[in-house]
Amino acid sequence: MKEAFLYEKLDNKVVHCRLCAHRCRIRDGAYGVCGVRQNRDGVLYSLVFGKPVACNVDPIEKKPLYHFLPGSVSLSIATLGCNFHCGFCQNWEISQSRKEESSRQDVRGRTPEAVVEAAVKNKCVSISYTYTEPTVYFEYAYETARLAKKKGLYNIFVTNGYMSGETLEMIRPFLDAVNVDLKFFRDSSYRKVCGGSLQPVLDSIALMKQMGVWVELTTLVVPGQNDSSGELRDIARFIA
């Protein structure tokens, strides 16, 4: 366990997590929406620090990033958990697993130092925080990214964009590129399918662009859910 970043202590051992746009208020013993951050006696902990469930060398185009370090390979890591609950998630086995279910997962201890060493050993020029949602393992991603930058490596978030502005400000010195899943352009769809809302995602995209982070967007077209000409046109207008 590692004490969480970006939270405040409230009365009666309640904590207020400010990591993502859910801004969970978590009572003693309870978990946040992500399922991997727990309030223990009035202190919020990340339960997945140093415990990746995936660590692979991928082509950067698999992230997918098509205009950032093309042709290179990226060390890709993930832990359990996500702050969305999308029904069409391709990595649901790990993204929707809570920490108490980790005995059924291949969870291996790997320090931030070990992740960076693996990237260098495998001739990767970047580390990607991907597969699940890097926001929910932010402490692990942050410490790894900080060390990676010292080694001259680039850092990439593959994210749903539902982090807070405070989180982006904190990772800003170390974050080089992102691919954001802009899943819908209708707030009702975000609420129904993902368990979130649209505006925080748009705000994150705009803020990262303003920060000078390289931003690419992905919209997974789901027939009957986000494939109307009107919705795709609105996405394109927002990007423009």
Side-chain angles (χ1 to χ4, degrees), residues 179-198:
N179 185 292
V180 182
D181 287 320
L182 182 54
K183 299 175 186 291
F184 303 94
F185 213 76
R186 301 289 181 266
D187 189 69
S188 58
S189 298
Y190 261 98
R191 293 182 183 278
K192 179 180 178 181
V193 179
C194 305
S197 55
L198 171 62

Side-chain angles (χ1 to χ4, degrees), residues 6-10 14-18 23-26:
L6 297 173
Y7 82 98
E8 57 185 321
K9 298 179 180 181
L10 305 177
V14 174
V15 299
H16 182 200
C17 181
R18 297 185 287 110
R23 297 187 178 272
C24 297
R25 291 176 182 261
I26 308 168

Side-chain angles (χ1 to χ4, degrees), residues 7-8 11 38 44 90 102 106 139 151 192 194 197:
Y7 82 98
E8 57 185 321
D11 295 336
Q38 186 183 26
L44 186 62
Q90 66 177 357
S102 64
D106 182 16
E139 294 80 8
K151 290 290 187 178
K192 179 180 178 181
C194 305
S197 55

